[in-house]
């Protein structure tokens, strides 16, 4: 299950995992709002019935609604935290019973390079993405003896719809001198869900051209 698998990074992840041999279900807003736990449970149940237990979950669905904290609309705070953080919790909770039963599971949370620093104008987004790292580490510890791993990716500036409105000059601030491509994030996810990564748990893997270094 790849949330936000309809576009951008999520679509690249879904395509890469399918090429790796996974039977991939993609969840977009038309299927379920990740912030709505009843809708998530119903969507996961539909996938479970049609395709079997959910043993891989990529919590990738996300939005941004920028503004300085002093003037941030409360709805913009809530929508970003509800989608980017609570959405990941809702999906994790919906998938874990299948993973526990199978004593096998892979969860990857798509956080952001900004999660470990400040990013003025994104208090809601940074708080949600930082919270996602805490969720990642805690689920990793809780599930470590059950064959389930939970890791995070922190992408930097990746060329998608989400960043289409941002100033192209930002590339100059990236040590690699260019923005990243969704496929480069997907390659990292592919590793984290592989059998070779069975001992990688609670980790945060940066895919940011050195931006967070
Ligand atoms: P896009 O805006 O291109 O795609 C967002 C995806 O999330 C879409 O598939 C969208 O579905 C889905 N989505 C949004 N809200 C919901 C919701 N409430 N319920 C279900 N699905 C939802 O974003 P990106 O591909 O750029 O970003 C993907 C993830 O990567 C996000 O979590 C983002 O924060 C993170 N990220 C992105 C970076 C970047 O530079 N692009 C950098 C760091 C992190 P639909 O098509 O139905 O609208």
């Amino acid at each position: 299950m790849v949330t936000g698998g309809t576009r951008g990074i999520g679509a690249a992840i879904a395509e890469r995992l399918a090429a790796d041999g996974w039977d991939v279900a993609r969840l977009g807003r038309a299927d379920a709002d990740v912030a709505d736990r009843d809708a998530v449970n119903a969507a996961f149940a539909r996938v479970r019935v049609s395709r079997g237990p959910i043993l891989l979950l990529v919590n990738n669905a996300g939005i941004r609604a920028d503004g300085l904290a002093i003037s941030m609309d409360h709805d913009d705070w809530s929508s970003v935290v509800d989608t980017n953080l609570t959405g990941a919790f809702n999906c994790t909770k919906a998938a874990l019973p299948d993973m526990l039963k199978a004593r096998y599971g892979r969860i990857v949370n798509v956080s952001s390079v900004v999660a470990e620093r400040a990013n003025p104008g994104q208090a809601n987004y940074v708080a949600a993405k930082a919270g996602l790292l805490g969720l990642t580490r805690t689920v990793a510890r809780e599930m470590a003896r059950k064959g389930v791993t939970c890791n995070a990716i922190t992408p930097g500036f990746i060329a998608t719809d989400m960043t289409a409105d941002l100033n192209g000059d930002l590339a100059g601030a990236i040590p690699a001198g260019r923005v990243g491509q969704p496929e480069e994030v997907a390659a990292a996810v592919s590793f984290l869900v592989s059998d070779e990564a069975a001992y990688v748990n609670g980790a945060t893997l940066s895919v940011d051209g050195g931006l967070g270094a």
Side-chain angles (χ1 to χ4, degrees), residues 62-143:
I63 56 170
R64 47 177 270 255
D66 301 347
L68 295 175
I70 192 171
S71 53
M72 183 174 284
D73 190 279
H74 277 83
D75 287 344
D76 285 341
W77 171 271
S78 301
S79 62
V80 170
V81 173
D82 290 353
T83 303
N84 297 9
L85 179 56
T86 308
F89 171 69
N90 289 340
C91 295
T92 300
K93 196 156 186 259
L96 276 177
D98 283 352
M99 297 179 181
L100 273 181
K101 199 169 170 197
R103 294 192 75 82
Y104 172 86
R106 292 283 184 272
I107 302 171
V108 178
N109 294 324
V110 180
S111 178
S112 167
V113 65
V114 301
E116 292 174 306
R117 51 190 31 80
N119 204 30
Q122 287 199 314
N124 49 1
Y125 187 86
V126 174
K129 293 299 190 182
L132 193 52
L133 295 184
L135 175 67
T136 301
R137 289 191 289 265
T138 301
V139 170
R141 287 285 289 265
E142 289 178 356
M143 293 295 138

Side-chain angles (χ1 to χ4, degrees), residues 1 23-25 42-54:
M1 176 74 82
D23 180 12
V24 181
F44 277 53
R46 282 196 298 275
V47 169
R48 195 173 286 120
V49 166
S50 62
R51 306 166 86 154
I54 295 156

Side-chain angles (χ1 to χ4, degrees), residues 2-13 27-36 40 59-64 79 82-84 87 91 109-114 125 129 132 153-164 166 179-180 182 185 207:
V2 180
T3 73
T6 49
R7 293 186 282 125
I9 293 171
I13 292 171
L27 188 141
R29 269 181 273 213
D31 308 293
D33 175 2
V34 291
D36 179 340
V40 165
N59 284 309
N60 163 83
I63 56 170
R64 47 177 270 255
S79 62
D82 290 353
T83 303
N84 297 9
C91 295
N109 294 324
V110 180
S111 178
S112 167
V113 65
V114 301
Y125 187 86
K129 293 299 190 182
L132 193 52
I153 303 252
T154 49
F157 193 113
I158 309 296
T160 67
D161 294 345
M162 182 179 275
T163 51
L166 298 178
V179 300
V185 179
V207 183

